[in-house]
Amino acid sequence: MAEKIAARTEALTENPFHYCPGCAHGIIHRLVAETIEELGVREKTVGVASVGCSVFAYNYFNMDMQQAAHGRAPAVATGIKRVLPDNFVFTYQGDGDLAAIGTAEIVHAAARGENITVIFVNNTTYGMTGGQSAPTTILGQKTTTTPYGRDPHVNGYPMGVSEMLSTLGGVAHVSRVSIYSPAQVNRAKRAIKKAFEVQREKKGFSFVEVLASCPTNWRMTPQDALKWIEEKMLPIYPLGEFKTAAEEGK
Amino acid sequence: MAKVLMGGNEALAEAALRAGCRHFFGYPITPQSEIPEYLAKKMPQLDGVYLQAESEIAAINMVYGAAGAGVRVFTASSGPGISLMSEGISYIAGAELPCVIVNIMRGGPGLGNIAPSQADYNQATKGIGHGDFHLIVLAPNSVQEMADLTMLAFQLAEEYRNPAMILSDGLLGQMMEPVEFNENPPKEKDKPWATRGAKGRDPNIINRLLIEAEALQKHNLKLQEKYQLIKETQCRCESYLAEDADILLAAFGSCSRMAKSAVEMARSRGIKAGLVRPITLWPFPEKEVAEAAKGAKACLVTEMNEGQMLLDIRLALKGRIPIHFLGKSGGIIPTPGEILEEIERIEVNLRG
Ligand SMILES: Cc1ncc(C[n+]2csc(CCOP(=O)(O)OP(=O)(O)O)c2C)c(N)n1
Ligand code: SF4
């Protein structure tokens, strides 16, 4: 009999992902779900889906889920976590959701040290609404609303959310990872696990930014999109651990 | 239980605590600040949650999260803050989550002012957010009712899985009156739909997205059925000397107190005046208002705005009798004397 070497994690439902071919959301969902399964907390977890391509996350995560209004996931998660301090609560947000319309909510949830985990998917664009520019769009990048490329004099500068949040007192863990190679996927998994462990130890706010591809709106093949992350995004969004609870000696 | 002397906002907050509510999320704004201040003191002693959010937008979404997690929860604000909450209120209504929202009204539009007003009647009863939905809206007119209707609001919110609003104003919020708290607050309902971790069951999902047209219409029809049921069973209204009244006054909230005094003054001058006071503003007690106006020859609507409930009164009375209006806004309150003058003018016309 063949040996089973890989199986779907029980923290994902059987529903097939609706994401475009080569989209990073599917990989990141799996990493979050595997982490939740490995920590054995699926039955104690409440996830918060945001507005963006991942709005249907509640169809895929096999656990209690709430769907939040655009940008408000950290506030919704705050409400849940304050009611259920012993449960695990995470949000899953895109860059339009978290870094534009939801800036106030993410900054204040972080500053309050809400004991939640935030998965921030930075694909430099508004995927769901058709590839408009985001606060994280890089300079010169063409989007449907920066057709001549992002010009800092008109559109401002890309936002380093991890850098910004890591300056806040309530924040226990911030890391930026990516999924452009198998090695990076493994690193991303470790970072997500660490973030959930920080939550388990009630150390405060934990945040993982994942540099992700949106081949559809970038108008690239999935392979070229991964290369684009490595070549164009990394110089602006360096990977690494910006802050951990361990460093603070908590 | 003995009566205690309390301010309206404090009585409301105390009633919420006595109703077993242990979760409050809000943002400071005059004239409701006594509510969060009271709770900030009490909640920690009760192992409850008091959290000052970064905005009303965040506060209402915290309410959404907490209500979804299955607890009694409420928030309080005033006009500008309620406007910011409107998206979240639409989500809460759509997701059928019970919660209580308090609006201690001030003058509008815009920043307006901090004086008592009833300028948010239309917002509360007609247009609190996008989509086809209704809030249950209760309008107290005394400190006692600030307490009683708050308890009722929690009960109705849970019974119908719908947000309920207390629509009050700065006058009632600041006013001191004796109040007696109901010793049998509404029991909390089971919430098997709450997201508290899918232990030994299928996941619960709190969701406001229905991408398929049929599915969304079906959900909307289900909401409509619920609203119909609320309309049929929950209209509340009070009338005073209405049976034989020639001139029926209609007023809600604090304005109804002035109207009542004017009715008494008119009666002492031999004018048969009466008063009808809607307590639920949604559902609007259409039948009860029409019944109260059965023998009347004219109606006088008085409000602390430029004529908002007026439209609902017109709909209820279906053009049967002339309807007059006396409104004051910007924080000006119609005095019993001014209302009496209006009654006398109408009376002269009737005799005319
Ligand atoms: C209040 C509000 N404004 C605008 C929208 C429309 N909208 C839906 S998704 C989206 C952008 C999402 O982009 P992002 O967060 O980057 O996620 P992605 O789709 O790229 O995964 C916008 C603007 C909305 N749903 N609500
Ligand atoms: S549009 Fe982009 S982010 Fe959205 S599913 Fe497609 S590839 Fe993924």
Side-chain angles (χ1 to χ4, degrees):
Chain A
M1 203 179 87
E3 199 188 340
K4 197 166 167 185
I5 49 166
R8 176 187 283 275
T9 156
E10 59 157 21
L12 286 177
T13 63
E14 305 270 304
N15 297 329
F17 290 138
H18 71 284
Y19 300 113
C20 308
C23 175
H25 276 308
I27 301 171
I28 303 167
H29 279 18
R30 184 166 54 74
L31 299 183
V32 172
E34 284 175 0
T35 299
I36 288 169
E37 184 183 14
E38 284 163 22
L39 294 177
V41 296
R42 187 186 71 85
E43 294 185 334
K44 296 177 66 169
T45 300
V46 183
V48 182
S50 65
V51 174
C53 283
S54 61
V55 68
F56 293 110
Y58 56 79
N59 281 335
Y60 308 131
F61 288 108
N62 185 24
M63 57 198 74
D64 279 5
M65 295 288 295
Q66 293 199 22
Q67 188 253 310
H70 198 20
R72 316 301 170 214
V76 173
T78 297
I80 301 168
K81 187 72 182 191
R82 294 282 176 137
V83 170
L84 305 169
D86 296 325
N87 286 48
F88 279 72
V89 178
F90 75 94
T91 73
Y92 186 104
Q93 303 174 257
D95 43 58
D97 192 85
L98 182 142
I101 197 167
T103 324
E105 283 74 13
I106 192 65
V107 168
H108 287 275
R112 285 192 303 265
E114 292 298 338
N115 194 35
I116 59 174
T117 300
V118 172
I119 307 297
F120 171 42
V121 180
N122 177 359
N123 62 11
T124 74
T125 189
Y126 286 23
M128 188 181 217
T129 42
Q132 295 85 1
S133 74
T136 50
T137 297
I138 66 175
L139 293 184
Q141 185 182 345
K142 287 185 177 160
T143 69
T144 55
T145 50
T146 53
Y148 307 108
R150 182 175 191 167
D151 172 355
H153 302 295
V154 180
N155 317 111
Y157 290 85
M159 206 156 125
V161 180
S162 289
E163 286 82 352
M164 190 170 76
L165 293 184
S166 59
T167 64
L168 298 173
V171 174
H173 180 89
V174 177
S175 54
R176 184 185 283 130
V177 296
S178 187
I179 45 76
Y180 62 79
S181 70
Q184 293 300 336
V185 170
N186 288 337
R187 254 177 235 160
K189 170 77 181 293
R190 282 200 294 278
I192 290 170
K193 193 154 181 187
K194 199 162 179 181
F196 273 89
E197 282 166 354
V198 162
Q199 181 176 174
R200 183 174 60 190
E201 286 148 36
K202 298 196 161 65
K203 285 185 170 162
F205 183 82
S206 52
F207 184 85
V208 180
E209 174 174 349
V210 187
L211 302 184
S213 53
C214 173
T216 302
N217 287 302
W218 293 357
R219 308 198 196 313
M220 291 178 198
T221 64
Q223 286 82 353
D224 287 348
L226 295 178
K227 220 182 289 158
W228 196 84
I229 297 179
E230 193 176 357
E231 286 170 7
K232 304 286 185 187
M233 287 180 77
L234 288 196
I236 295 153
Y237 299 117
L239 305 184
E241 199 166 75
F242 291 77
K243 192 173 188 182
T244 66
E247 261 169 29
E248 287 194 326
K250 278 193 197 168
Chain B
M1 210 199 105
K3 288 198 173 192
V4 282
L5 190 67
M6 272 184 117
N9 282 338
E10 275 124 10
L12 183 152
E14 178 62 30
L17 294 178
R18 286 173 192 245
C21 176
R22 292 290 178 272
H23 301 85
F24 178 90
F25 302 92
Y27 187 83
I29 186 168
T30 310
Q32 62 82 52
S33 291
E34 294 81 6
I35 298 171
E37 284 164 9
Y38 189 86
L39 296 167
K41 243 185 267 158
K42 296 274 178 164
M43 282 297 194
Q45 301 164 0
L46 296 165
D47 270 339
V49 173
Y50 164 81
L51 186 62
Q52 182 169 317
E54 62 271 28
S55 69
E56 290 86 351
I57 298 178
I60 194 70
N61 284 285
M62 291 172 185
V63 168
Y64 176 92
V71 296
R72 278 201 173 151
V73 55
F74 88 114
T75 185
S77 188
S78 189
I82 299 288
S83 291
L84 278 183
M85 288 184 185
S86 63
E87 183 199 31
I89 294 174
S90 169
Y91 271 70
I92 290 172
E96 296 193 271
L97 298 179
C99 71
V100 172
I101 301 151
V102 176
N103 181 357
I104 305 296
M105 287 183 282
R106 56 189 251 166
L111 197 52
N113 65 20
I114 56 171
S117 154
Q118 298 183 322
D120 304 341
Y121 178 95
N122 281 345
Q123 183 196 42
T125 60
K126 311 275 190 302
I128 195 82
H130 60 285
D132 245 335
F133 78 92
H134 289 285
L135 285 184
I136 296 168
V137 184
L138 306 173
N141 84 337
S142 63
V143 173
Q144 183 64 53
E145 280 194 356
M146 290 285 266
D148 293 345
L149 295 184
T150 298
M151 288 193 186
L152 179 65
F154 281 107
Q155 182 192 326
L156 295 178
E158 279 170 21
E159 199 167 322
Y160 297 102
R161 287 186 61 181
N162 203 68
M165 175 174 272
I166 299 289
L167 191 70
S168 183
D169 65 58
L171 191 67
L172 288 165
Q174 317 292 325
M175 171 168 38
M176 303 275 289
E177 274 183 340
V179 56
E180 190 174 358
F181 291 98
N182 181 350
E183 287 183 50
N184 296 305
K187 287 211 178 56
E188 214 165 326
K189 282 200 123 178
D190 274 352
K191 293 163 180 163
W193 43 264
T195 55
R196 305 178 66 89
K199 193 168 168 52
R201 59 158 169 77
D202 286 342
N204 282 339
I205 293 165
I206 306 284
N207 173 28
R208 250 0 301 135
L209 178 70
L210 287 166
I211 212 91
E212 309 279 335
E214 266 76 35
L216 182 54
Q217 175 170 273
K218 195 168 153 223
H219 180 67
N220 281 332
L221 289 175
K222 182 179 154 225
L223 292 182
Q224 289 303 320
E225 261 173 46
K226 173 168 89 176
Y227 300 145
Q228 193 53 40
L229 183 67
I230 299 174
K231 277 189 198 171
E232 281 161 18
T233 56
Q234 297 301 337
C235 284
R236 285 172 169 77
C237 185
E238 186 185 74
S239 49
Y240 175 67
L241 303 180
E243 307 79 55
D244 66 338
D246 291 329
I247 301 171
L248 182 75
L249 275 68
F252 74 94
S254 54
C255 199
S256 68
R257 299 168 71 107
M258 320 305 155
K260 190 173 177 189
S261 302
V263 164
E264 278 158 8
M265 287 156 79
R267 287 270 169 177
S268 73
R269 290 171 194 212
I271 303 173
K272 284 191 183 164
L275 170 69
V276 64
R277 171 173 78 97
I279 297 171
T280 49
L281 302 183
W282 198 93
F284 190 75
E286 226 170 287
K287 271 194 223 117
E288 291 79 354
V289 168
E291 178 65 28
K294 230 159 73 187
K297 302 190 179 90
C299 178
L300 170 60
V301 179
T302 175
E303 296 179 75
M304 282 143 62
N305 60 44
E306 296 302 338
Q308 299 193 15
M309 185 178 74
L310 174 63
L311 304 183
D312 283 325
I313 297 288
R314 281 187 187 148
L315 287 173
L317 300 189
K318 300 185 167 73
R320 221 177 34 73
I321 51 175
I323 297 173
H324 304 263
F325 177 69
L326 174 67
K328 300 273 172 178
S329 63
I332 302 172
I333 299 164
T335 63
E338 286 167 334
I339 302 172
L340 177 67
E341 271 175 38
E342 196 61 33
I343 295 173
E344 285 175 334
R345 251 196 300 275
I346 296 168
E347 208 257 342
V348 170
N349 274 344
L350 283 181
R351 270 191 285 133

